[in-house]
Amino acid sequence: MTYFDPWTGFLLTGDTVYPGRLYVEDWAAFTRTVDRLIDFCAERPVTHVLGCHIEMSRQPGVDYPVRTTYQPDEPPLQMTTGQLHDIRAAIDTVGDRPGRHVFDDFVLCRRDVPEGR
């Protein structure tokens, strides 16, 4: 679920996008969602894109290990609408390759579930 606060311009994206590992089980649905978020932002004054947590460090492409509880060098939670475009470009870069794909501000973890399961 995504919420938009028109008073602050905050777009709250939950686990959809945030500075961290984005686990994707349905690549097509994730792509459509990111496209909808980009379209939404183009029509509204979005000031910040806010996910629910941070897993990246301030060093580009470096995330904290899973289950890390002390993250002293994490970037701010807020992302920009431009970073949504970065995620969309990363989707095209990853294409149909499953696995862990590291980018400066996030990691795409494509783990599609085979059809019929």
Side-chain angles (χ1 to χ4, degrees):
M1 292 182 63
T2 301
Y3 292 97
F4 176 65
D5 178 3
W7 295 102
T8 62
F10 292 176
L11 181 64
L12 307 171
T13 62
D15 275 340
T16 304
V17 294
Y18 53 87
R21 292 177 294 279
L22 306 176
Y23 296 101
V24 182
E25 293 191 16
D26 186 332
W27 196 247
F30 181 70
T31 301
R32 288 189 306 272
T33 298
V34 171
D35 287 342
R36 282 193 306 268
L37 289 173
I38 290 169
D39 291 346
F40 184 91
C41 291
E43 299 174 2
R44 290 167 185 82
V46 174
T47 59
H48 296 297
V49 178
L50 298 163
C52 62
H53 54 93
I54 303 168
E55 295 168 341
M56 300 301 286
S57 72
R58 289 185 187 270
Q59 185 176 349
V62 177
D63 58 336
Y64 284 96
V66 174
R67 294 189 176 83
T68 299
T69 58
Y70 181 64
Q71 299 177 181
D73 191 37
E74 63 186 25
L77 175 63
Q78 67 267 19
M79 296 175 75
T80 66
T81 56
Q83 286 169 301
L84 288 177
H85 290 274
D86 294 343
I87 292 169
R88 186 58 179 90
I91 289 169
D92 290 338
T93 298
V94 169
D96 61 357
R97 295 176 296 129
R100 185 176 190 273
H101 305 275
V102 179
F103 297 89
D104 284 354
D105 299 323
F106 53 89
V107 178
L108 287 178
C109 299
R110 182 174 177 170
R111 51 185 198 179
D112 288 298
V113 177
E115 286 188 39
R117 285 195 174 181

